[in-house]
Amino acid sequence: MLFAIISTDVKNSLEKRLPVREEHIARLKALDEAGRLVLAGPHPATDEDQPAELAFTGSLVVAAFESMTAAKAWADADPYVAAGVYEAVVVKPFLKVLPV
């Protein structure tokens, strides 16, 4: 089943994100290589194409896991969680309707 992992960053999270970003991305790449990743990415703090200052308000990951327990365990093990990037993480079942 698919699950949406919706994370909300602490304020000024960039300085906490950068040191562990490669580890975070490696876990996402592993999901992708296993054919389980639907999409993943951060929520920029602005809708500007070229913001004066790079900042994020959170992240979204949609991926396949065998259960809610497995999805939560994967989310809890994210390097961003350990680094204090996220203020909150919500895991919800996700039903993909489109595109087919």
Side-chain angles (χ1 to χ4, degrees), residues 5-13 17 41-43 56-61 80-81 84-91:
I5 301 169
I6 307 151
S7 306
T8 302
D9 282 21
V10 298
K11 289 200 181 281
N12 302 314
S13 62
R17 278 177 171 263
H43 299 287
F56 300 100
T57 63
S59 300
L60 172 64
V61 174
Y80 282 178
V81 170
V85 172
Y86 295 144
E87 177 178 274
V89 177
V90 175
V91 179

Side-chain angles (χ1 to χ4, degrees), residues 32-72:
D32 189 37
E33 289 167 3
R36 297 172 44 203
L37 184 64
V38 174
L39 63 89
H43 299 287
T46 177
D47 65 353
E48 299 171 83
D49 286 336
Q50 298 293 322
E53 196 171 306
L54 191 58
F56 300 100
T57 63
S59 300
L60 172 64
V61 174
V62 177
F65 294 93
E66 59 193 44
S67 66
M68 174 69 83
T69 301
K72 285 183 177 181

